[in-house]
Amino acid sequence: MSAYVATDRLTKARHFLSVGEVLDAIAATDAIMTDATNPPDAAERAWASLLRLSAVINLERSSEYAANVDCAFSAVRAYGDHTALGCFHALAAFTSNADGSVERCVTHLVRSTRELSKIETPDWQAWVAWHNLAVVYSYIGFHEHAAQAAARARETALAAKLNRTLSAPEVQVRHALSLDHRGDTDGCIRILRALLAQTKRLKPYDDGLPGADWIDLPWLGYAAARLRALGEQPEIDARRCLAAGGNDAWTADLRHFGRICLAIAGESTDKARRGLAQPTSTAAVLGPAEPARLRALSHMVDKDTQQAWSSDREAFAIHARTNDQLRRLFVDSVAARLDHENLRRTVDSYSSNAMTDALTGLPNRRQLQKLVDELAERAQSSICGVLNLGGFSRVNIEHGHLTGDTVLQRAAGILMRVMRRGDFVARCGGDEFVLVLQSTPIDRTTEIGRRITDAFEAEDWEALIPGTPIDARVGWAVLHTDGGGDGVVGTFNMTDHAIRTAKQAAAT
């Protein structure tokens, strides 16, 4: 069955978004979600929430990203469709990158690829999903992955018999600029020339503009303007192509930097540098090194080699810093994967999912009770610790509950990495973890607690949740399991008392 859902209401919202009427698109999706007379089903709700998230991204309303991501994830998860899930993860990847977390961004990109690879029936929405994935990959600098996703988009379009005019011009432009930023100007020119050559196969509009999709015309305009800044003379009218498209923030940036390129080509270098001094949107739509590279080109026109060299060095340094961040991410990802593998090996011994916390894979409160029962039967005293995450509520507020879940999963991995063999770790809800140390004297808890808090302090939380540090607060108490009380109930009541005591210790 096709994953593409096309109700009249969704078609209207999609149309507004495609022509750049973003506020109207938001109003249309809100009308769908709040219609009490004709409430949306799971499919329509999922796609409406994804359209709204796309619109909010186009407007760069970054303060609304977290809430819209949470809303979309809830709707898409309830729907359970691979295309919708792939779309969601591609959009969530962009918001994570905008939030400063390349790690969460890459995680969403991988999940998007896996979901879209499960699609059995290609359709228009599947093509959109692959295209969006390619765009986000290119945006963060993974140009090889972007090219692969763009190729899947082409394959999907052919299989679905869609009349797609160009192959992801945005992806090609960013790849070309990336080459120029690291010194391969010939490679940049070659890609931009090839892109514009593709437009010759398109039937032009009546006004003479290339017959590409309306939203792609500004990208063709920028390709032409950038070639002119590099001394080329493309046939396409850069100004008219830049003037086309929607009114979103990205298109505004294309027009702004396109005018700067044309000013450089026309030797109006002072005008170009004044333009570079003006603030633009928050998104580095053409790559963070592009302003520095354009400044270098303006100085080259003036034959000011010293200033041109300095600006080029700045562009190269910005590009290198981005690559260094991505390389560091891979190291962090390997560590996270090893944590996950250790965690899975631990929980594989549990006989039932009813004993396991679905989010973290740790034992849950029921498994904790089972352990307490066993300790009570043996009349064995142990140490109980309660760990809470400092700063966790702020994560949910500023980054959304989906990111909060990721933090809890990371915390579980840290605990499984630093606790000793034989120690018991469970999640009992929220940001509360319970630790049971068997045959351990209470005076050892200071050392164990320091090891836990040091591990949380050493974790690179900034890469995951920028600006919202996390720490661990641990309290300890003796858990007496001497068989007293009213059997299992009495034993578990003592466990609850120990947890309350540990919480009080953590708060002091």
Side-chain angles (χ1 to χ4, degrees), residues 209-228:
L209 285 173
D213 287 341
W214 190 247
I215 59 175
D216 288 337
L217 286 174
W219 287 97
L220 298 179
Y222 193 79
R226 192 59 156 75
L227 282 173
R228 289 195 61 190

Side-chain angles (χ1 to χ4, degrees), residues 342-478:
N342 290 333
L343 181 59
R344 295 315 308 171
R345 281 195 294 269
T346 300
V347 302
D348 278 347
S349 61
Y350 303 146
S351 59
S352 171
N353 288 335
M355 296 289 190
T356 305
D357 173 53
L359 177 64
T360 63
L362 289 174
N364 60 14
R365 188 180 181 90
R366 186 176 298 177
Q367 179 74 0
L368 173 63
Q369 179 174 357
K370 181 180 178 183
L371 173 66
V372 171
D373 292 344
E374 294 172 352
L375 294 174
E377 289 178 3
R378 301 195 299 267
Q380 178 180 340
S381 294
S382 299
I383 300 298
C384 177
V386 173
L387 180 146
N388 294 100
L389 301 179
F392 181 72
S393 59
R394 185 180 166 195
V395 171
N396 283 330
I397 293 171
E398 297 188 9
H399 301 281
H401 291 278
L402 182 60
T403 299
D405 289 348
T406 304
V407 170
L408 292 173
Q409 291 167 340
R410 177 66 61 83
I414 295 172
L415 288 173
M416 294 306 298
R417 185 172 72 242
V418 302
M419 297 304 289
R420 306 165 305 171
R421 183 181 299 275
D423 291 341
F424 180 88
V425 183
R427 179 181 175 231
C428 286
D431 64 330
E432 182 178 275
F433 297 84
V434 175
L435 319 172
V436 178
L437 315 181
Q438 302 179 43
S439 304
T440 300
I442 189 67
D443 57 9
R444 286 287 311 279
T445 57
T446 300
E447 172 194 340
I448 297 170
R450 185 182 300 113
R451 185 169 71 243
I452 294 171
T453 55
D454 287 350
F456 274 82
E457 183 178 348
E459 190 72 14
D460 187 6
W461 297 108
E462 184 66 19
L464 182 65
I465 42 172
T468 47
I470 291 290
D471 58 33
R473 303 168 183 174
V474 191
W476 303 97
V478 176

Side-chain angles (χ1 to χ4, degrees), residues 218-273:
W219 287 97
L220 298 179
Y222 193 79
R226 192 59 156 75
L227 282 173
R228 289 195 61 190
L230 292 171
E232 299 281 309
Q233 296 296 326
E235 299 177 6
I236 288 180
D237 189 331
R239 292 186 188 278
R240 293 186 61 213
C241 287
L242 287 167
N247 297 315
D248 57 278
W250 284 22
T251 304
D253 273 7
L254 284 174
R255 291 170 182 147
H256 174 74
F257 286 108
R259 288 191 293 268
I260 291 172
C261 288
L262 294 175
I264 293 171
E267 300 186 1
S268 299
T269 53
D270 287 340
K271 178 181 178 181
R273 288 191 286 272

